[in-house]
Amino acid sequence: MNKELKNRENYIISKVGKNNPFSVPKGYLNDVESNIFSKINEDSLPVSSGFGIPANYFKELEDSILEKVSSTKKETKVISLKDRILKVVPFAAAASIILFIGLNTFVFNQNNEISIDNLTESDIEYWLNNSDIHDSDVALVLDDDILEENGFSLTNLKDENIEEYINSIDNSSLLNEIN
């Protein structure tokens, strides 16, 4: 490979000679940067002036301004409010009739009256557990007669149920609590 490279160099030297054909004038590299930037700036500037006036511009200017200012005003289209209302009234009447029929058939025909009888015991228990009602509030509402008659008057306990409950609980735990 060196032999080929050497042959190439010898060939170039034989044709050109020992003198370097590539040379730079003195001080060239000092001014190259400023020369390039000035050339770029010069090329980016427009060749001709950007300002021009059409022929007879000032002679026709006054006439064109007066034509625009004193031109006849265009007739504006007037839409009366009465016409708009008359277009909307049939739709509003149809919508109100449909709404009236719909409400009567779907809402007012339901005979679900809300009363205490419709509530289940679990609903009442849930409300009592989650509300801020105390025993004193209940005592104020209830009559003194109900409280004096029987402490269990509001419950439906039968003697058999009470006896069955007493038999089902573990009596040993009750005896341990007494000690």
Side-chain angles (χ1 to χ4, degrees), residues 57-87:
Y57 176 74
F58 290 108
K59 291 179 182 177
E60 297 171 0
L61 179 64
E62 184 178 349
D63 294 333
S64 65
I65 291 174
L66 288 175
E67 183 181 314
K68 290 178 183 177
V69 172
S70 65
S71 66
T72 59
K73 292 186 177 182
K74 295 180 182 178
E75 187 176 325
T76 57
K77 184 177 179 181
V78 177
I79 300 172
S80 69
L81 185 61
K82 181 181 176 184
D83 292 340
R84 282 197 167 184
I85 290 174
L86 290 177
K87 288 180 182 178

PDB file of all heavy atoms in Angstrom, residues 57-87:
ATOM      1  N   TYR A  57     -51.198  57.485  -8.654  1.00  0.00           N
ATOM      2  CA  TYR A  57     -51.778  57.138  -7.339  1.00  0.00           C
ATOM      3  C   TYR A  57     -52.358  58.378  -6.665  1.00  0.00           C
ATOM      4  O   TYR A  57     -53.474  58.355  -6.173  1.00  0.00           O
ATOM      5  CB  TYR A  57     -50.712  56.490  -6.451  1.00  0.00           C
ATOM      6  CG  TYR A  57     -51.198  56.185  -5.047  1.00  0.00           C
ATOM      7  CD1 TYR A  57     -52.061  55.125  -4.812  1.00  0.00           C
ATOM      8  CD2 TYR A  57     -50.811  56.976  -3.970  1.00  0.00           C
ATOM      9  CE1 TYR A  57     -52.512  54.848  -3.544  1.00  0.00           C
ATOM     10  CE2 TYR A  57     -51.259  56.707  -2.690  1.00  0.00           C
ATOM     11  CZ  TYR A  57     -52.117  55.644  -2.472  1.00  0.00           C
ATOM     12  OH  TYR A  57     -52.565  55.372  -1.210  1.00  0.00           O
ATOM     13  N   PHE A  58     -51.613  59.460  -6.648  1.00  0.00           N
ATOM     14  CA  PHE A  58     -52.067  60.656  -5.952  1.00  0.00           C
ATOM     15  C   PHE A  58     -53.188  61.365  -6.705  1.00  0.00           C
ATOM     16  O   PHE A  58     -53.992  62.062  -6.093  1.00  0.00           O
ATOM     17  CB  PHE A  58     -50.896  61.600  -5.702  1.00  0.00           C
ATOM     18  CG  PHE A  58     -49.935  61.067  -4.674  1.00  0.00           C
ATOM     19  CD1 PHE A  58     -48.684  60.593  -5.044  1.00  0.00           C
ATOM     20  CD2 PHE A  58     -50.296  61.015  -3.339  1.00  0.00           C
ATOM     21  CE1 PHE A  58     -47.808  60.097  -4.101  1.00  0.00           C
ATOM     22  CE2 PHE A  58     -49.419  60.519  -2.389  1.00  0.00           C
ATOM     23  CZ  PHE A  58     -48.172  60.052  -2.771  1.00  0.00           C
ATOM     24  N   LYS A  59     -53.286  61.163  -7.999  1.00  0.00           N
ATOM     25  CA  LYS A  59     -54.375  61.770  -8.765  1.00  0.00           C
ATOM     26  C   LYS A  59     -55.694  61.039  -8.481  1.00  0.00           C
ATOM     27  O   LYS A  59     -56.745  61.662  -8.458  1.00  0.00           O
ATOM     28  CB  LYS A  59     -54.062  61.735 -10.269  1.00  0.00           C
ATOM     29  CG  LYS A  59     -52.935  62.643 -10.671  1.00  0.00           C
ATOM     30  CD  LYS A  59     -52.647  62.550 -12.158  1.00  0.00           C
ATOM     31  CE  LYS A  59     -51.471  63.426 -12.520  1.00  0.00           C
ATOM     32  NZ  LYS A  59     -51.102  63.315 -13.929  1.00  0.00           N
ATOM     33  N   GLU A  60     -55.626  59.726  -8.266  1.00  0.00           N
ATOM     34  CA  GLU A  60     -56.840  58.931  -8.049  1.00  0.00           C
ATOM     35  C   GLU A  60     -57.172  58.754  -6.567  1.00  0.00           C
ATOM     36  O   GLU A  60     -58.236  58.263  -6.223  1.00  0.00           O
ATOM     37  CB  GLU A  60     -56.663  57.553  -8.689  1.00  0.00           C
ATOM     38  CG  GLU A  60     -56.477  57.614 -10.191  1.00  0.00           C
ATOM     39  CD  GLU A  60     -56.086  56.264 -10.770  1.00  0.00           C
ATOM     40  OE1 GLU A  60     -55.962  55.295 -10.000  1.00  0.00           O
ATOM     41  OE2 GLU A  60     -55.910  56.183 -11.983  1.00  0.00           O
ATOM     42  N   LEU A  61     -56.288  59.146  -5.671  1.00  0.00           N
ATOM     43  CA  LEU A  61     -56.469  58.916  -4.234  1.00  0.00           C
ATOM     44  C   LEU A  61     -57.691  59.650  -3.695  1.00  0.00           C
ATOM     45  O   LEU A  61     -58.516  59.070  -2.996  1.00  0.00           O
ATOM     46  CB  LEU A  61     -55.211  59.352  -3.472  1.00  0.00           C
ATOM     47  CG  LEU A  61     -55.267  59.202  -1.953  1.00  0.00           C
ATOM     48  CD1 LEU A  61     -55.402  57.734  -1.578  1.00  0.00           C
ATOM     49  CD2 LEU A  61     -54.033  59.805  -1.311  1.00  0.00           C
ATOM     50  N   GLU A  62     -57.824  60.898  -4.035  1.00  0.00           N
ATOM     51  CA  GLU A  62     -58.942  61.687  -3.521  1.00  0.00           C
ATOM     52  C   GLU A  62     -60.271  61.118  -3.991  1.00  0.00           C
ATOM     53  O   GLU A  62     -61.219  60.991  -3.209  1.00  0.00           O
ATOM     54  CB  GLU A  62     -58.784  63.140  -3.972  1.00  0.00           C
ATOM     55  CG  GLU A  62     -59.840  64.067  -3.413  1.00  0.00           C
ATOM     56  CD  GLU A  62     -59.628  65.508  -3.854  1.00  0.00           C
ATOM     57  OE1 GLU A  62     -58.578  65.836  -4.408  1.00  0.00           O
ATOM     58  OE2 GLU A  62     -60.548  66.290  -3.624  1.00  0.00           O
ATOM     59  N   ASP A  63     -60.347  60.730  -5.236  1.00  0.00           N
ATOM     60  CA  ASP A  63     -61.595  60.182  -5.773  1.00  0.00           C
ATOM     61  C   ASP A  63     -61.958  58.852  -5.096  1.00  0.00           C
ATOM     62  O   ASP A  63     -63.128  58.611  -4.779  1.00  0.00           O
ATOM     63  CB  ASP A  63     -61.470  59.973  -7.295  1.00  0.00           C
ATOM     64  CG  ASP A  63     -61.321  61.296  -8.035  1.00  0.00           C
ATOM     65  OD1 ASP A  63     -61.805  62.316  -7.497  1.00  0.00           O
ATOM     66  OD2 ASP A  63     -60.729  61.288  -9.130  1.00  0.00           O
ATOM     67  N   SER A  64     -60.972  58.010  -4.851  1.00  0.00           N
ATOM     68  CA  SER A  64     -61.277  56.712  -4.238  1.00  0.00           C
ATOM     69  C   SER A  64     -61.713  56.868  -2.781  1.00  0.00           C
ATOM     70  O   SER A  64     -62.598  56.157  -2.303  1.00  0.00           O
ATOM     71  CB  SER A  64     -60.072  55.777  -4.331  1.00  0.00           C
ATOM     72  OG  SER A  64     -59.003  56.288  -3.567  1.00  0.00           O
ATOM     73  N   ILE A  65     -61.112  57.830  -2.051  1.00  0.00           N
ATOM     74  CA  ILE A  65     -61.520  58.065  -0.660  1.00  0.00           C
ATOM     75  C   ILE A  65     -62.936  58.610  -0.615  1.00  0.00           C
ATOM     76  O   ILE A  65     -63.768  58.158   0.183  1.00  0.00           O
ATOM     77  CB  ILE A  65     -60.532  59.025   0.048  1.00  0.00           C
ATOM     78  CG1 ILE A  65     -59.178  58.338   0.241  1.00  0.00           C
ATOM     79  CG2 ILE A  65     -61.088  59.477   1.385  1.00  0.00           C
ATOM     80  CD1 ILE A  65     -58.105  59.245   0.790  1.00  0.00           C
ATOM     81  N   LEU A  66     -63.243  59.564  -1.442  1.00  0.00           N
ATOM     82  CA  LEU A  66     -64.599  60.132  -1.465  1.00  0.00           C
ATOM     83  C   LEU A  66     -65.632  59.085  -1.880  1.00  0.00           C
ATOM     84  O   LEU A  66     -66.756  59.086  -1.400  1.00  0.00           O
ATOM     85  CB  LEU A  66     -64.647  61.342  -2.402  1.00  0.00           C
ATOM     86  CG  LEU A  66     -63.949  62.609  -1.891  1.00  0.00           C
ATOM     87  CD1 LEU A  66     -63.962  63.700  -2.952  1.00  0.00           C
ATOM     88  CD2 LEU A  66     -64.614  63.094  -0.625  1.00  0.00           C
ATOM     89  N   GLU A  67     -65.252  58.210  -2.753  1.00  0.00           N
ATOM     90  CA  GLU A  67     -66.173  57.147  -3.193  1.00  0.00           C
ATOM     91  C   GLU A  67     -66.500  56.198  -2.040  1.00  0.00           C
ATOM     92  O   GLU A  67     -67.641  55.796  -1.865  1.00  0.00           O
ATOM     93  CB  GLU A  67     -65.538  56.382  -4.352  1.00  0.00           C
ATOM     94  CG  GLU A  67     -66.420  55.301  -4.931  1.00  0.00           C
ATOM     95  CD  GLU A  67     -65.709  54.572  -6.059  1.00  0.00           C
ATOM     96  OE1 GLU A  67     -65.106  55.248  -6.914  1.00  0.00           O
ATOM     97  OE2 GLU A  67     -65.750  53.331  -6.058  1.00  0.00           O
ATOM     98  N   LYS A  68     -65.506  55.878  -1.235  1.00  0.00           N
ATOM     99  CA  LYS A  68     -65.735  54.968  -0.099  1.00  0.00           C
ATOM    100  C   LYS A  68     -66.529  55.648   1.004  1.00  0.00           C
ATOM    101  O   LYS A  68     -67.370  55.028   1.643  1.00  0.00           O
ATOM    102  CB  LYS A  68     -64.408  54.459   0.458  1.00  0.00           C
ATOM    103  CG  LYS A  68     -63.694  53.516  -0.461  1.00  0.00           C
ATOM    104  CD  LYS A  68     -62.360  53.086   0.106  1.00  0.00           C
ATOM    105  CE  LYS A  68     -61.616  52.197  -0.875  1.00  0.00           C
ATOM    106  NZ  LYS A  68     -60.285  51.835  -0.362  1.00  0.00           N
ATOM    107  N   VAL A  69     -66.283  56.902   1.250  1.00  0.00           N
ATOM    108  CA  VAL A  69     -66.936  57.609   2.349  1.00  0.00           C
ATOM    109  C   VAL A  69     -68.364  57.984   1.989  1.00  0.00           C
ATOM    110  O   VAL A  69     -69.290  57.824   2.791  1.00  0.00           O
ATOM    111  CB  VAL A  69     -66.123  58.873   2.728  1.00  0.00           C
ATOM    112  CG1 VAL A  69     -66.870  59.740   3.718  1.00  0.00           C
ATOM    113  CG2 VAL A  69     -64.788  58.481   3.278  1.00  0.00           C
ATOM    114  N   SER A  70     -68.594  58.484   0.816  1.00  0.00           N
ATOM    115  CA  SER A  70     -69.914  58.990   0.452  1.00  0.00           C
ATOM    116  C   SER A  70     -70.742  57.968  -0.321  1.00  0.00           C
ATOM    117  O   SER A  70     -71.708  58.336  -0.949  1.00  0.00           O
ATOM    118  CB  SER A  70     -69.763  60.272  -0.373  1.00  0.00           C
ATOM    119  OG  SER A  70     -69.123  59.972  -1.604  1.00  0.00           O
ATOM    120  N   SER A  71     -70.366  56.714  -0.239  1.00  0.00           N
ATOM    121  CA  SER A  71     -71.142  55.705  -0.976  1.00  0.00           C
ATOM    122  C   SER A  71     -72.508  55.536  -0.313  1.00  0.00           C
ATOM    123  O   SER A  71     -72.693  55.799   0.867  1.00  0.00           O
ATOM    124  CB  SER A  71     -70.398  54.375  -1.002  1.00  0.00           C
ATOM    125  OG  SER A  71     -70.308  53.864   0.305  1.00  0.00           O
ATOM    126  N   THR A  72     -73.452  55.134  -1.077  1.00  0.00           N
ATOM    127  CA  THR A  72     -74.805  54.941  -0.541  1.00  0.00           C
ATOM    128  C   THR A  72     -74.779  53.808   0.472  1.00  0.00           C
ATOM    129  O   THR A  72     -74.156  52.777   0.255  1.00  0.00           O
ATOM    130  CB  THR A  72     -75.791  54.600  -1.679  1.00  0.00           C
ATOM    131  OG1 THR A  72     -75.338  53.415  -2.323  1.00  0.00           O
ATOM    132  CG2 THR A  72     -75.890  55.736  -2.674  1.00  0.00           C
ATOM    133  N   LYS A  73     -75.456  54.052   1.563  1.00  0.00           N
ATOM    134  CA  LYS A  73     -75.464  53.051   2.616  1.00  0.00           C
ATOM    135  C   LYS A  73     -76.320  51.876   2.178  1.00  0.00           C
ATOM    136  O   LYS A  73     -77.371  52.041   1.562  1.00  0.00           O
ATOM    137  CB  LYS A  73     -76.007  53.644   3.910  1.00  0.00           C
ATOM    138  CG  LYS A  73     -75.079  54.667   4.502  1.00  0.00           C
ATOM    139  CD  LYS A  73     -75.573  55.115   5.854  1.00  0.00           C
ATOM    140  CE  LYS A  73     -74.585  56.095   6.453  1.00  0.00           C
ATOM    141  NZ  LYS A  73     -74.999  56.532   7.782  1.00  0.00           N
ATOM    142  N   LYS A  74     -75.834  50.705   2.542  1.00  0.00           N
ATOM    143  CA  LYS A  74     -76.578  49.498   2.202  1.00  0.00           C
ATOM    144  C   LYS A  74     -77.784  49.392   3.114  1.00  0.00           C
ATOM    145  O   LYS A  74     -77.735  49.760   4.287  1.00  0.00           O
ATOM    146  CB  LYS A  74     -75.699  48.260   2.375  1.00  0.00           C
ATOM    147  CG  LYS A  74     -74.538  48.211   1.434  1.00  0.00           C
ATOM    148  CD  LYS A  74     -73.720  46.964   1.664  1.00  0.00           C
ATOM    149  CE  LYS A  74     -72.521  46.927   0.746  1.00  0.00           C
ATOM    150  NZ  LYS A  74     -71.701  45.760   0.999  1.00  0.00           N
ATOM    151  N   GLU A  75     -78.836  48.866   2.585  1.00  0.00           N
ATOM    152  CA  GLU A  75     -80.063  48.702   3.374  1.00  0.00           C
ATOM    153  C   GLU A  75     -79.883  47.497   4.287  1.00  0.00           C
ATOM    154  O   GLU A  75     -79.538  46.403   3.830  1.00  0.00           O
ATOM    155  CB  GLU A  75     -81.251  48.487   2.438  1.00  0.00           C
ATOM    156  CG  GLU A  75     -82.574  48.471   3.146  1.00  0.00           C
ATOM    157  CD  GLU A  75     -83.727  48.358   2.168  1.00  0.00           C
ATOM    158  OE1 GLU A  75     -83.641  48.909   1.061  1.00  0.00           O
ATOM    159  OE2 GLU A  75     -84.696  47.708   2.532  1.00  0.00           O
ATOM    160  N   THR A  76     -80.097  47.732   5.570  1.00  0.00           N
ATOM    161  CA  THR A  76     -79.931  46.641   6.528  1.00  0.00           C
ATOM    162  C   THR A  76     -81.206  45.810   6.581  1.00  0.00           C
ATOM    163  O   THR A  76     -82.318  46.328   6.467  1.00  0.00           O
ATOM    164  CB  THR A  76     -79.631  47.199   7.931  1.00  0.00           C
ATOM    165  OG1 THR A  76     -80.681  48.076   8.323  1.00  0.00           O
ATOM    166  CG2 THR A  76     -78.314  47.937   7.956  1.00  0.00           C
ATOM    167  N   LYS A  77     -81.006  44.552   6.783  1.00  0.00           N
ATOM    168  CA  LYS A  77     -82.137  43.625   6.834  1.00  0.00           C
ATOM    169  C   LYS A  77     -82.704  43.661   8.246  1.00  0.00           C
ATOM    170  O   LYS A  77     -81.983  43.476   9.228  1.00  0.00           O
ATOM    171  CB  LYS A  77     -81.660  42.215   6.488  1.00  0.00           C
ATOM    172  CG  LYS A  77     -82.755  41.212   6.416  1.00  0.00           C
ATOM    173  CD  LYS A  77     -82.229  39.852   6.009  1.00  0.00           C
ATOM    174  CE  LYS A  77     -83.326  38.833   5.970  1.00  0.00           C
ATOM    175  NZ  LYS A  77     -82.829  37.518   5.616  1.00  0.00           N
ATOM    176  N   VAL A  78     -83.986  43.889   8.352  1.00  0.00           N
ATOM    177  CA  VAL A  78     -84.644  43.976   9.641  1.00  0.00           C
ATOM    178  C   VAL A  78     -85.521  42.738   9.807  1.00  0.00           C
ATOM    179  O   VAL A  78     -86.363  42.441   8.974  1.00  0.00           O
ATOM    180  CB  VAL A  78     -85.510  45.256   9.740  1.00  0.00           C
ATOM    181  CG1 VAL A  78     -86.246  45.301  11.061  1.00  0.00           C
ATOM    182  CG2 VAL A  78     -84.654  46.487   9.548  1.00  0.00           C
ATOM    183  N   ILE A  79     -85.275  42.035  10.899  1.00  0.00           N
ATOM    184  CA  ILE A  79     -86.101  40.877  11.221  1.00  0.00           C
ATOM    185  C   ILE A  79     -86.944  41.279  12.420  1.00  0.00           C
ATOM    186  O   ILE A  79     -86.406  41.594  13.486  1.00  0.00           O
ATOM    187  CB  ILE A  79     -85.237  39.643  11.551  1.00  0.00           C
ATOM    188  CG1 ILE A  79     -84.364  39.291  10.363  1.00  0.00           C
ATOM    189  CG2 ILE A  79     -86.105  38.472  11.956  1.00  0.00           C
ATOM    190  CD1 ILE A  79     -83.347  38.204  10.663  1.00  0.00           C
ATOM    191  N   SER A  80     -88.223  41.243  12.241  1.00  0.00           N
ATOM    192  CA  SER A  80     -89.076  41.710  13.335  1.00  0.00           C
ATOM    193  C   SER A  80     -89.184  40.642  14.417  1.00  0.00           C
ATOM    194  O   SER A  80     -89.097  39.441  14.159  1.00  0.00           O
ATOM    195  CB  SER A  80     -90.472  42.064  12.805  1.00  0.00           C
ATOM    196  OG  SER A  80     -91.149  40.896  12.404  1.00  0.00           O
ATOM    197  N   LEU A  81     -89.357  41.120  15.626  1.00  0.00           N
ATOM    198  CA  LEU A  81     -89.492  40.232  16.770  1.00  0.00           C
ATOM    199  C   LEU A  81     -90.788  39.427  16.678  1.00  0.00           C
ATOM    200  O   LEU A  81     -90.853  38.274  17.089  1.00  0.00           O
ATOM    201  CB  LEU A  81     -89.440  41.054  18.064  1.00  0.00           C
ATOM    202  CG  LEU A  81     -89.448  40.284  19.362  1.00  0.00           C
ATOM    203  CD1 LEU A  81     -88.222  39.380  19.430  1.00  0.00           C
ATOM    204  CD2 LEU A  81     -89.468  41.227  20.545  1.00  0.00           C
ATOM    205  N   LYS A  82     -91.802  40.031  16.112  1.00  0.00           N
ATOM    206  CA  LYS A  82     -93.105  39.366  15.966  1.00  0.00           C
ATOM    207  C   LYS A  82     -92.970  38.110  15.099  1.00  0.00           C
ATOM    208  O   LYS A  82     -93.523  37.058  15.434  1.00  0.00           O
ATOM    209  CB  LYS A  82     -94.106  40.345  15.365  1.00  0.00           C
ATOM    210  CG  LYS A  82     -95.489  39.781  15.185  1.00  0.00           C
ATOM    211  CD  LYS A  82     -96.411  40.809  14.557  1.00  0.00           C
ATOM    212  CE  LYS A  82     -97.777  40.214  14.292  1.00  0.00           C
ATOM    213  NZ  LYS A  82     -98.653  41.164  13.602  1.00  0.00           N
ATOM    214  N   ASP A  83     -92.230  38.218  14.008  1.00  0.00           N
ATOM    215  CA  ASP A  83     -92.042  37.051  13.129  1.00  0.00           C
ATOM    216  C   ASP A  83     -91.302  35.927  13.843  1.00  0.00           C
ATOM    217  O   ASP A  83     -91.642  34.754  13.702  1.00  0.00           O
ATOM    218  CB  ASP A  83     -91.270  37.460  11.865  1.00  0.00           C
ATOM    219  CG  ASP A  83     -92.084  38.383  10.964  1.00  0.00           C
ATOM    220  OD1 ASP A  83     -93.319  38.391  11.102  1.00  0.00           O
ATOM    221  OD2 ASP A  83     -91.472  39.081  10.132  1.00  0.00           O
ATOM    222  N   ARG A  84     -90.295  36.291  14.610  1.00  0.00           N
ATOM    223  CA  ARG A  84     -89.551  35.263  15.345  1.00  0.00           C
ATOM    224  C   ARG A  84     -90.426  34.584  16.379  1.00  0.00           C
ATOM    225  O   ARG A  84     -90.359  33.375  16.562  1.00  0.00           O
ATOM    226  CB  ARG A  84     -88.333  35.874  16.030  1.00  0.00           C
ATOM    227  CG  ARG A  84     -87.201  36.119  15.096  1.00  0.00           C
ATOM    228  CD  ARG A  84     -85.949  36.312  15.861  1.00  0.00           C
ATOM    229  NE  ARG A  84     -84.826  36.249  14.937  1.00  0.00           N
ATOM    230  CZ  ARG A  84     -83.590  36.305  15.309  1.00  0.00           C
ATOM    231  NH1 ARG A  84     -83.304  36.421  16.573  1.00  0.00           N
ATOM    232  NH2 ARG A  84     -82.632  36.249  14.429  1.00  0.00           N
ATOM    233  N   ILE A  85     -91.215  35.358  17.087  1.00  0.00           N
ATOM    234  CA  ILE A  85     -92.084  34.772  18.119  1.00  0.00           C
ATOM    235  C   ILE A  85     -93.117  33.859  17.482  1.00  0.00           C
ATOM    236  O   ILE A  85     -93.404  32.764  17.996  1.00  0.00           O
ATOM    237  CB  ILE A  85     -92.751  35.891  18.960  1.00  0.00           C
ATOM    238  CG1 ILE A  85     -91.694  36.573  19.826  1.00  0.00           C
ATOM    239  CG2 ILE A  85     -93.870  35.339  19.820  1.00  0.00           C
ATOM    240  CD1 ILE A  85     -92.197  37.773  20.579  1.00  0.00           C
ATOM    241  N   LEU A  86     -93.671  34.276  16.357  1.00  0.00           N
ATOM    242  CA  LEU A  86     -94.680  33.443  15.685  1.00  0.00           C
ATOM    243  C   LEU A  86     -94.088  32.136  15.168  1.00  0.00           C
ATOM    244  O   LEU A  86     -94.789  31.140  15.036  1.00  0.00           O
ATOM    245  CB  LEU A  86     -95.336  34.229  14.551  1.00  0.00           C
ATOM    246  CG  LEU A  86     -96.265  35.373  14.994  1.00  0.00           C
ATOM    247  CD1 LEU A  86     -96.797  36.121  13.788  1.00  0.00           C
ATOM    248  CD2 LEU A  86     -97.405  34.863  15.857  1.00  0.00           C
ATOM    249  N   LYS A  87     -92.791  32.115  14.886  1.00  0.00           N
ATOM    250  CA  LYS A  87     -92.144  30.872  14.462  1.00  0.00           C
ATOM    251  C   LYS A  87     -91.905  29.938  15.633  1.00  0.00           C
ATOM    252  O   LYS A  87     -91.908  28.720  15.476  1.00  0.00           O
ATOM    253  CB  LYS A  87     -90.804  31.176  13.783  1.00  0.00           C
ATOM    254  CG  LYS A  87     -90.955  31.786  12.409  1.00  0.00           C
ATOM    255  CD  LYS A  87     -89.599  32.060  11.794  1.00  0.00           C
ATOM    256  CE  LYS A  87     -89.726  32.705  10.432  1.00  0.00           C
ATOM    257  NZ  LYS A  87     -88.426  33.017   9.844  1.00  0.00           N
TER     258      LYS A  87
END
